[in-house]
Amino acid sequence: MPAIANESSVHAQLRDKAESQLQAGASASRWSLGVDALRLLHRLSSDPDNAEDALKLLHELQVHQVELDLQNEEIASNEQALAEDLSLYRTLYDAAPIGYLLVDVEGVIIRSNHAAAELFNVGCDDLERRPIATLLAPESRSALQDLLKRVAQSGARDGCIAKAQEGEQAARHLHFLASMPPQGEHLLLVCCECISEDSRG
């Protein structure tokens, strides 16, 4: 019942705004009557007994069109705001100074940012659909798999330290933090290189 009352209130506000704009002389910018509506209005207005009805009908059509114009403006404004939010969050994700990885409960990478790719010395495209365990030293793989299972089961944020797979560079220790987003389909992993006491200098 409250939802119906709220919807009715929103419609009443929209109609009042449309009425105000029409009274102020605003026109429905993209509005044109269809042929059938024009014929009906002409027929009604030709008869003095129905002329008042024709004017009422014309007014209702104008108000309705202004309502539609107002709704279209609001939709366009909302779309613009959503596009700006999406751009901001995409920038925050892709340009973050630490590695972000979206993985499934088995540890297969769904998406990653540039910092994560740099940590593992691969391109972002090379990380997608790849089990993250293959990027770790064999002795560290179980620690990360256990972390993913714990977080998937409990929903609580947790972390671990794992050693990256040795390549051309010396082995690096990475600190992983995992959390379960509200929808619970995937896990978010944040990772960065552990800074040793020696390197802090």
Side-chain angles (χ1 to χ4, degrees):
M1 188 72 173
I4 294 171
N6 188 37
E7 187 177 323
S8 177
S9 172
V10 168
H11 180 70
Q13 290 174 358
L14 182 62
R15 183 174 177 87
D16 289 344
K17 191 172 180 181
E19 291 268 13
S20 297
Q21 287 199 7
L22 276 174
Q23 287 174 1
S27 61
S29 58
R30 295 173 294 281
W31 182 52
S32 62
L33 281 175
V35 175
D36 291 339
L38 284 172
R39 284 183 185 146
L40 175 61
L41 284 171
H42 182 266
R43 193 172 70 241
L44 287 172
S45 62
S46 298
D47 181 353
D49 293 336
N50 295 324
E52 188 177 336
D53 291 337
L55 288 174
K56 286 181 182 176
L57 178 58
L58 178 60
H59 178 73
E60 283 302 312
L61 289 170
Q62 288 175 321
V63 169
H64 183 63
Q65 184 59 47
V66 173
E67 287 176 350
L68 290 175
D69 288 345
L70 290 171
Q71 287 175 331
N72 284 336
E73 287 171 13
E74 187 173 340
I75 288 169
S77 175
N78 289 343
E79 284 179 351
Q80 178 66 29
L82 286 171
E84 289 172 3
D85 284 349
L86 179 61
S87 177
L88 172 64
Y89 284 110
R90 195 171 274 155
T91 300
L92 286 171
Y93 183 85
D94 289 334
I98 58 175
Y100 288 153
L101 300 122
L102 193 63
V103 301
D104 66 17
V105 291
E106 302 299 322
V108 176
I109 299 168
I110 297 162
R111 183 154 184 207
S112 64
N113 69 348
H114 298 297
E118 287 175 12
L119 279 173
F120 296 111
N121 295 313
V122 295
C124 277
D125 293 341
D126 296 328
L127 285 178
E128 283 187 22
R129 294 182 298 279
R130 185 171 179 176
I132 193 168
T134 63
L135 300 165
L136 301 177
E139 64 271 22
S140 290
R141 293 174 183 171
S142 62
L144 186 63
Q145 294 290 23
D146 290 345
L147 168 67
L148 296 179
K149 285 178 187 171
R150 282 196 312 273
V151 173
Q153 289 172 355
S154 69
R157 189 177 302 160
D158 203 348
C160 75
I161 293 177
K163 189 175 168 186
Q165 182 77 276
E166 292 186 46
E168 296 176 4
Q169 298 180 338
R172 294 176 299 164
H173 288 85
L174 303 175
H175 185 200
F176 287 93
L177 284 174
S179 66
M180 177 79 79
Q183 65 271 21
E185 295 175 5
H186 308 298
L187 297 167
L188 177 62
L189 274 179
V190 178
C191 63
C192 61
E193 188 171 1
C194 294
I195 299 173
S196 66
E197 293 295 327
D198 295 337
S199 63
R200 291 179 190 174

